[in-house]
């Protein structure tokens, strides 16, 4: 391998490296968009249900004082 071939090989590797650096962000963006679109499609496919009602408890709601019968004097 002579000097000319070595220089050509180094130039080829440099050009390929720059190409990868230029194309990598675009590829990452495309993959990210596809992942987000898949999540949106999955979210639209889930049927909408009504929110559950308040839980049944025997205790009064927070902030409401319990009623006690009046004491005789």
């Amino acid at each position: 391998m002579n000097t000319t071939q070595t220089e050509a090989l180094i130039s080829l590797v440099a050009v390929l490296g720059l190409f990868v650096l230029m194309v990598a962000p675009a590829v990452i963006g495309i993959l990210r968009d596809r992942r987000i679109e898949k999540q949106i499609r999955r979210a639209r496919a889930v049927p909408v249900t009504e929110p559950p009602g308040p839980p049944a408890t025997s205790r009064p709601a927070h902030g409401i004082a319990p009623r006690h019968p009046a004491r005789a004097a």
Side-chain angles (χ1 to χ4, degrees), residues 16-73:
L16 288 176
L18 289 173
F19 179 75
V20 168
L21 287 175
M22 299 293 285
V23 172
V27 171
I28 291 170
I30 291 169
L31 294 175
R32 182 176 176 267
D33 285 346
R34 288 176 55 123
R35 180 179 50 90
I36 291 171
E37 288 174 4
K38 185 188 291 186
Q39 290 175 347
I40 291 171
R41 273 187 260 122
R42 233 185 290 148
R44 285 184 181 165
V46 174
V48 177
T49 59
E50 293 183 21
T57 61
S58 60
R59 298 175 60 184
H62 182 68
I64 298 176
R67 296 186 183 190
H68 296 289
R71 294 186 181 168

